[in-house]
Amino acid sequence: LSWLVTTYKKDDKTVEYALETFLEWMAEDDLELAELKETLVEDMKVVYAKKRFEIKAGDILVKQTRSTSSSRSRYRTVRQRDPKTGKITTKRVPISSGSSSSKSKTASKKRPAVAHRTDFAKLFHSSLLNQAQLNVPRTDRGAAGREETILKYVGLWGSQRVNVNTAPRHVLEAAFAMAMTASEASETAHEVIAKRQEKPFKKVDEIKTAGMLDTQTFDKLKNYITTGSTFFKIRVESRSGNASASAVAAVVKEGRQAKTLMVLYGQ
């Protein structure tokens, strides 16, 4: 869904097809798929109108205007004699306030690139996105009796890349469908999962060197895949008798530093 609100618009149709493929793998029937797809695309248009996101976002330059006021006062010099020492001293005493003036000053402030993810999380967790429809349980075809929801696999925290080392099969297939047919995407996802079980990928170009992708296909996909996650979702649940509470936090990691993007509380 994040791809639908990026400024990288040359792949709009490809993104739409990948979204459709993903919904099919989530066991949506034709009617549900059409309704949900229409809803999602409309929701994304609303989010896109609020803010456009770049695939490689940099620092955000924010300009703030502040008003400053100044006043001028007039003074007179007063001579005083100390009664004990007889020493004469002088001091300046204000006699009236003069005119005052106000000026506006524009200052620039930088928000780090991670702020884009904060904005993304706030937009996607607002009423702009129909989460109820995304949270309807679906039957996972890959595991009998296991229920999944689309919301579980949606990159709500601002990721625009799929981690090939951790993504579920149908998420990998949807990502690969950005540059190949559905059958080819399914086969490639199978190969990637088998390979990562032996040893995780350190660089995305290892998928190409291992012969799973040709150069042309890899060049189309390299903006959408990664080998390491930079943000994480942490869920904490507590129970005491019949009472329960939960919290979900989004944490982004930059180098050795971790920053909390947002925390959502529920009962």
Side-chain angles (χ1 to χ4, degrees), residues 95-110:
I95 56 175
S96 65
S97 297
S99 60
S100 61
S101 61
S102 61
K103 296 180 180 179
S104 60
K105 184 178 181 181
T106 302
S108 296
K109 182 180 179 181
K110 276 190 177 181

Side-chain angles (χ1 to χ4, degrees), residues 101-137:
S101 61
S102 61
K103 296 180 180 179
S104 60
K105 184 178 181 181
T106 302
S108 296
K109 182 180 179 181
K110 276 190 177 181
R111 294 178 69 205
V114 69
H116 287 284
R117 302 189 184 190
T118 306
D119 295 340
F120 195 94
K122 289 178 179 177
L123 285 172
F124 273 71
H125 280 283
S126 69
S127 59
L128 299 178
L129 183 66
N130 189 345
Q131 293 188 41
Q133 198 169 4
L134 294 175
N135 208 28
V136 176

Side-chain angles (χ1 to χ4, degrees), residues 26-41:
M26 290 303 293
E28 297 277 335
D29 61 36
D30 291 341
L31 180 59
E32 289 175 325
L33 189 150
E35 291 178 348
L36 185 55
K37 179 182 171 184
E38 182 180 357
T39 301
L40 291 177
V41 172

Side-chain angles (χ1 to χ4, degrees), residues 155-219:
L156 291 186
W157 305 114
S159 173
Q160 295 168 338
R161 296 172 186 260
V162 170
N163 188 339
V164 295
N165 285 319
T166 59
R169 179 184 298 275
H170 51 288
V171 175
L172 279 177
E173 291 175 346
F176 293 149
M178 303 283 282
M180 57 183 73
T181 64
S183 59
E184 291 173 336
S186 179
E187 183 180 346
T188 304
H190 177 77
E191 293 177 356
V192 166
I193 292 173
K195 187 71 175 179
R196 77 187 188 189
Q197 288 175 343
E198 297 176 6
K199 185 179 180 181
F201 296 96
K202 291 185 178 181
K203 297 180 180 180
V204 291
D205 56 7
E206 290 180 16
I207 299 177
K208 182 178 67 173
T209 56
M212 301 177 200
L213 298 174
D214 57 47
T215 302
Q216 185 178 3
T217 305
F218 175 77
D219 288 342

